Amino acid sequence: MKFGCHLSIRDGYLAAANHALAIQASAFQYFPKNPRSLSIKNYDACDAGRCREYCLEHHIISVAHTPYPANLTPTGKKKVRLISSLLNDLEIADSCGSIGAVVHFGNQTSGTDPLSAYQLIIETLNRILAQWKGKCKLLLENNAGPPGSFGTTLEEMVQVRNLSSFPDKIGFCLDTCHAFASGIWNGENTRTFLDRGTALGYFDGLEVIHLNNSLYPAGQGKDRHANIFSGGYITEEQMHSLLSAPELRQIPCILETPKNSENGHEQEIMQLNKKWGMLH
């Protein structure tokens, strides 16, 4: 299995890939630009290309994460900005050789019904992907929230992808903390969760896992990440039941857990490689 974490591009895309190798990460995630803005970045294409070649040489998988303000349910002028921003993210990620760009599913805005929100997400995706000709995919991430909340279920991810005009350009990112918080996976129902995902075709589109423990018990809807081996409510046994499943063994896992030392996630990645790295 491939394990990694989110890394800074402060010194460039190639430097982030180099950092991944230095901490024995075989995968990494990065923000392609300012994570707090939807502004367009004029990026260094040569640096991105060197990142791509470096990752190919060292068998490292990379994935981009779109900025925090990115939301697939925008309206008015915000929609125009979002579409331009996500196309910019996809272009940068593609140049870096990344498998996809993770985007949060979207929200049901106040006063709207769920159906309208789903239609808005599909319309936004279609407008973006009609213009996108690269290999990099947009990866829909499941939301955290109380059971039954908007954007928390595998059914929603799959249906939005199926109803879009460009399903082959859409994939999924499974956040384990979000799944735990929303109760779709509570650590004790792993086989049921996996069987449901298989029946829906969800795992056929799964490209990356955000591997996070949860600071709160299952079903409380709280998006607070904890470290894999300490401080969380997901036990090692429960995490093992998920990571050892054939459906997930080939999917790269990215930590978004608290940094527990000056060296960031190096120790946690070492523990993950030791415990689950040889699963295949």
Side-chain angles (χ1 to χ4, degrees):
M1 296 194 75
K2 289 183 177 292
F3 295 103
C5 60
H6 191 102
L7 296 174
S8 170
I9 60 159
R10 179 174 48 199
D11 298 319
Y13 304 112
L14 174 61
N18 205 329
H19 186 183
L21 186 66
I23 60 174
Q24 299 182 53
S26 49
F28 72 97
Q29 179 177 269
Y30 62 97
F31 288 118
K33 60 191 180 193
N34 184 346
R36 293 176 177 81
S37 172
L38 295 179
S39 60
I40 303 302
K41 179 175 181 176
N42 294 317
Y43 67 100
D44 185 340
C46 291
D47 179 41
R50 287 192 290 268
C51 174
R52 172 196 288 268
E53 295 304 316
Y54 188 89
C55 289
L56 284 172
E57 179 184 355
H58 296 284
H59 308 289
I60 298 170
I61 293 176
S62 70
V63 60
H65 196 301
T66 60
Y68 295 123
N71 187 321
L72 291 175
T73 49
T75 56
K77 293 181 179 179
K78 289 182 179 180
K79 180 181 287 189
V80 176
R81 288 190 65 210
L82 173 74
I83 291 170
S84 296
S85 178
L86 289 182
L87 283 168
N88 183 224
D89 295 332
L90 284 168
E91 182 183 352
I92 295 171
D94 209 45
S95 297
C96 288
S98 302
I99 58 175
V102 176
V103 62
H104 293 151
F105 185 75
N107 299 307
Q108 181 184 349
T109 55
S110 178
T112 62
D113 61 275
L115 181 58
S116 297
Y118 296 135
Q119 290 172 334
L120 185 54
I121 290 173
I122 294 166
E123 179 196 349
T124 304
L125 287 169
N126 285 343
R127 288 186 59 181
I128 294 166
L129 297 176
Q131 303 175 60
W132 176 239
K133 307 304 179 184
K135 294 181 179 179
C136 187
K137 295 181 179 181
L138 264 184
L139 308 180
L140 305 179
E141 180 178 353
N142 56 307
N143 290 342
S149 297
F150 187 85
T152 58
T153 67
L154 304 186
E155 285 83 353
E156 290 167 282
M157 308 293 130
V158 172
Q159 280 294 82
V160 163
R161 184 194 190 210
N162 289 345
L163 292 172
S164 74
S165 300
F166 306 95
D168 292 343
K169 298 181 182 182
I170 298 171
F172 305 122
C173 168
L174 174 66
D175 189 303
T176 54
C177 175
H178 295 181
F180 194 76
S182 65
I184 62 169
W185 174 63
N186 60 22
E188 301 299 327
N189 66 340
T190 300
R191 191 66 260 164
T192 301
F193 171 75
L194 294 169
D195 289 345
R196 183 59 179 159
T198 298
L200 290 167
Y202 174 82
F203 296 118
D204 295 334
L206 183 62
E207 299 286 348
V208 65
I209 296 170
H210 281 171
L211 190 64
N212 301 309
N213 208 325
S214 173
L215 198 60
Y216 290 93
Q220 291 200 1
K222 296 183 178 181
D223 183 14
R224 291 291 302 277
H225 299 181
N227 293 103
I228 302 302
F229 298 100
S230 63
Y233 275 87
I234 304 174
T235 67
E236 284 189 40
E237 291 75 17
Q238 290 170 338
M239 197 66 82
H240 178 78
S241 71
L242 195 66
L243 294 181
S244 62
E247 295 88 341
L248 302 186
R249 286 181 194 166
Q250 304 301 318
I251 308 299
C253 297
I254 302 294
L255 292 168
E256 295 179 323
T257 55
K259 294 180 180 179
N260 50 21
S261 71
E262 291 184 1
N263 294 324
H265 291 100
E266 185 173 7
Q267 181 69 22
E268 200 167 8
I269 290 171
M270 184 177 70
Q271 290 176 282
L272 287 166
N273 283 329
K274 183 177 179 180
K275 188 169 183 66
W276 293 302
M278 295 306 293
L279 290 176
H280 58 80

